[in-house]
Amino acid sequence: MSFSLASHEASSAAHPLAPYGWDEGWEAEFTPYAAQGLLPGRVVRVDRGQCDVVTPGGTVRADTEFVVPRDPLKVVCTGDWVAADPGSDPRYVRTLLPRRTAFVRSTSSKRSEGQILAANVDQAIIAVPLAVELDLGRIERFLALAWESGAQPLVVLTKADLVPDPTGLSYLVEDVATTAPGVQVLAVSAATGEGVDVLSAVVGGGTSVLLGVSGAGKSTLANALLGEDVMEVRATRDIDGKGRHTTTTRNLLVLPGGGVLIDTPGLRGVGLWDAGQGVGQVFAEIEELAQGCRFHDCAHGSEPGCAVLAALADGSLPERRLESYRKLLRENKRIVAKTDARMRAELRRDWRLKGAEGRAAMEAKRGRIR
């Protein structure tokens, strides 16, 4: 039995797709398609209804025509494992293997559709530039999406060479660490090499996706991890640290130290998409405090016996954290309500209750004035 298992593991490790993350789990998922004569492959790039798929025989161009679902979250995405035609011309992706994780954000569309940014990701690297003032609220937003995806978040403070004072840099790292409970925070400079070796070791196994706003230094960081200038880099504006989108597609790249990296274009908007659990993990200390509230459905507004408000009053919970928590919860409820009838009914009930409370307060105020 042990010999058989060892042989199976050795077989998976020797597979041509092993550097791209192929393992026994994917081999088992692919078994039915192997019987049909299809080829396994991983999507390394998608554009205009076609994708580049790395297969045991090399990288091929394939059409996604056969995988066009109504659900926008089930379209072919960088990082997907697929079953592809073995040699037809043109080639087609026939099906997607079940995803282990998926990083999804909401789009700016009025239809409130979700957009999948990367699939089968083990680690979400959130790049935050130190060239401008830290936006802790944005970091919390990225973290909520990362936790919800099923990946392990990692915050990388890029351009650390722009903060020459070690004490000042340590304070910045501490501020972000307080904002990101349970998440590793690294200060990295691709220019000087500071922290790059540590980051390389962290992402040396599995699949990592590199996320952040335009100008965060993602392409420069990707080049540092790859050990060569593969991704194009453009300068950012000094006034606000923003840059043009250097990366225009999501590319999956094999790292020399092991593992793969998905580089993504800069994100202008980071809307939540059904990320209630992710928000809860980002604000774990507030969720823990809420366990001590007198009422199980406490809204942490003005209820008596609210442990969250007590922590706010004694200074152990920063007001900024509570406001950010409330904001993300409200936003997530609105997104969910657009596709969930029960949630819509709950929101309408809350609005009616607040409206009634407001009218009652006004009537009481008028009575006092008289």
Side-chain angles (χ1 to χ4, degrees), residues 138 181 184 211 232 241 251 286 294 318 323 358:
R138 178 179 284 158
Q184 186 175 6
L211 303 156
E232 183 185 357
N251 304 282
I286 298 179
R294 181 183 302 177
E323 286 303 312

Side-chain angles (χ1 to χ4, degrees), residues 40 47 83 150 154 168 174 176 181 222 265 276 278 286 354:
D47 61 278
L154 168 67
E174 185 178 342
V176 175
I286 298 179
K354 288 177 181 177

